[in-house]
């Protein structure tokens, strides 16, 4: 079936000498993997390597056989040309890190237009703004809304957050954050992209990042912590 859709590149893996296997989160069909033959050849101008960098937004025309095998692009073009993400070391590091997070977190081959719309809007915001030090934390938390394990904030006034159950509680248990960690987590829940990015100190961001990675690990089977984690820590230290 011929499909025209927007897509966000989650990963690309070199195959043999000149080809790529590209995993995308598409607006029309959710997660899809594509085989790009001769991606490193100058003869195919519509399959430039630049299209397949982490979290690049593309518009594609593709043949979807929907048989669990690799699909094939017919046409590709950029949906949005980033102005700063690819040249700003902080933003490009965030994008590499988040592409790994999404690669391991999004599993379903089914349409999720709300998640796609959120990611598209968030990435355009990142490209357009300078104060972005909490962007990865906010995005990771917000994505849990679409994956089904966003924290239950009904009783957010309680002092401890139970990471396994996903709610706040007056009692500390083996699965709960400390009171200080819970306080930081509450501040993150209330934070928006446009808020003051200096609300957290560097060490507090590190604490929150660990909390979020542990939270993902608890609620997503097979979730792997990104290889780029140490690079992210280094850049934001």
């Amino acid at each position: 079936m011929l499909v025209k859709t927007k897509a966000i590149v989650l990963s690309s893996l070199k195959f043999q000498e000149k080809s790529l296997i590209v995993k995308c989160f598409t607006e029309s069909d959710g997660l899809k993997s594509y085989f790009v033959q001769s991606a490193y050849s100058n003869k195919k101008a519509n399959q430039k390597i630049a299209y397949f960098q982490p979290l690049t937004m593309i518009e594609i025309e593709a043949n979807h056989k929907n048989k669990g095998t690799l699909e094939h692009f017919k046409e590709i073009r950029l949906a949005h040309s980033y102005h700063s993400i690819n040249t700003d070391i902080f933003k490009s590091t965030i994008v590499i890190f988040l592409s790994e997070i999404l690669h391991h977190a999004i599993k379903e081959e089914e349409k999720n237009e709300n998640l796609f719309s959120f990611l598209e809007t968030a990435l355009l915001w990142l490209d357009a703004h300078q104060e972005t030090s909490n962007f990865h934390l906010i995005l990771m938390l917000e994505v849990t809304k679409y994956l089904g394990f966003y924290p239950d904030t009904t009783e957010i006034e309680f002092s401890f957050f139970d990471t396994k159950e996903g709610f706040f509680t007056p009692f500390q248990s083996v699965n709960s954050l400390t009171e200080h960690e819970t306080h930081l987590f509450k501040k993150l829940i209330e934070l928006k992209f446009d808020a003051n990015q200096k609300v957290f100190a560097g060490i507090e961001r590190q604490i929150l990042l660990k909390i979020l990675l542990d939270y993902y690990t608890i609620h997503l089977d097979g979730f792997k912590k990104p290889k780029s984690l140490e690079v992210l820590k280094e850049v934001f230290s």
Side-chain angles (χ1 to χ4, degrees):
M1 179 173 67
L2 189 62
V3 175
K4 292 182 180 180
T5 183
K6 287 188 286 187
I8 298 171
V9 176
L10 299 186
S11 67
S12 59
L13 178 67
K14 191 172 182 179
F15 180 77
Q16 295 180 342
E17 286 298 312
K18 296 183 178 180
S19 301
L20 281 175
I21 296 174
V22 180
K23 182 181 283 188
C24 294
F25 182 57
T26 70
E27 186 175 35
S28 63
D29 295 274
L31 203 61
K32 282 287 182 185
S33 293
Y34 300 88
F35 181 70
V36 184
Q37 192 169 19
S38 302
Y40 290 87
S41 170
N42 292 327
K43 296 177 182 178
K44 297 207 171 184
N46 68 329
Q47 294 180 346
K48 294 176 183 177
I49 300 302
Y51 291 166
F52 307 120
Q53 298 306 304
L55 301 190
T56 299
M57 289 189 275
I58 53 179
E59 290 182 356
I60 64 172
E61 192 172 314
N63 292 307
H64 284 180
K65 296 181 180 178
N66 299 317
K67 293 181 179 180
T69 55
L70 294 173
E71 312 289 10
H72 292 80
F73 295 119
K74 187 176 180 183
E75 297 288 342
I76 312 167
R77 67 184 183 89
L78 288 176
H80 300 285
S81 181
Y82 291 139
H83 299 292
S84 65
I85 284 177
N86 297 328
T87 55
D88 184 305
I89 184 63
F90 294 100
K91 292 183 182 182
S92 59
T93 303
I94 287 172
V95 160
I96 290 169
F97 173 76
L98 289 174
S99 68
E100 283 195 78
I101 291 287
L102 296 170
H103 172 78
H104 293 304
I106 301 173
K107 305 289 187 182
E108 300 300 321
E109 284 198 27
E110 59 184 35
K111 183 188 294 189
N112 191 335
E113 287 182 296
N114 290 333
L115 175 54
F116 187 92
S117 178
F118 166 72
L119 292 174
E120 182 180 39
T121 301
L123 288 168
L124 291 175
W125 187 93
L126 175 66
D127 192 46
H129 292 79
Q130 295 306 312
E131 292 296 325
T132 58
S133 51
N134 298 315
F135 179 86
H136 56 302
L137 302 175
I138 299 171
L139 186 137
M140 283 181 69
L141 182 61
E142 289 295 311
V143 163
T144 66
K145 288 181 180 177
Y146 306 96
L147 299 182
F149 58 102
Y150 187 78
D152 181 348
T153 59
T154 307
E155 296 174 312
I156 196 170
E157 73 278 4
F158 287 148
S159 299
F160 303 98
F161 179 71
D162 189 309
T163 56
K164 186 175 182 181
E165 300 299 330
F167 56 61
F168 292 86
T169 170
F171 309 108
Q172 187 167 19
S173 71
V174 68
N175 298 314
S176 63
L177 304 177
T178 66
E179 194 164 2
H180 175 61
E181 289 170 339
T182 301
H183 173 68
L184 292 177
F185 197 55
K186 288 179 182 180
K187 286 176 69 175
L188 179 60
I189 287 173
E190 295 168 358
L191 199 63
K192 305 300 180 189
F193 288 132
D194 284 321
N196 178 12
Q197 294 290 306
K198 296 178 181 177
V199 66
F200 296 121
I203 188 64
E204 291 175 329
R205 289 192 191 94
Q206 300 287 6
I207 292 169
L208 283 165
L209 182 58
K210 183 182 185 304
I211 289 169
L212 287 166
L213 288 170
D214 289 344
Y215 193 51
Y216 269 62
T217 302
I218 290 168
H219 292 276
L220 292 173
D221 289 339
F223 178 77
K224 297 178 182 178
K225 292 182 181 179
K227 294 177 181 178
S228 57
L229 176 60
E230 293 307 316
V231 178
L232 183 81
K233 288 180 178 179
E234 186 71 25
V235 169
F236 281 92
S237 62

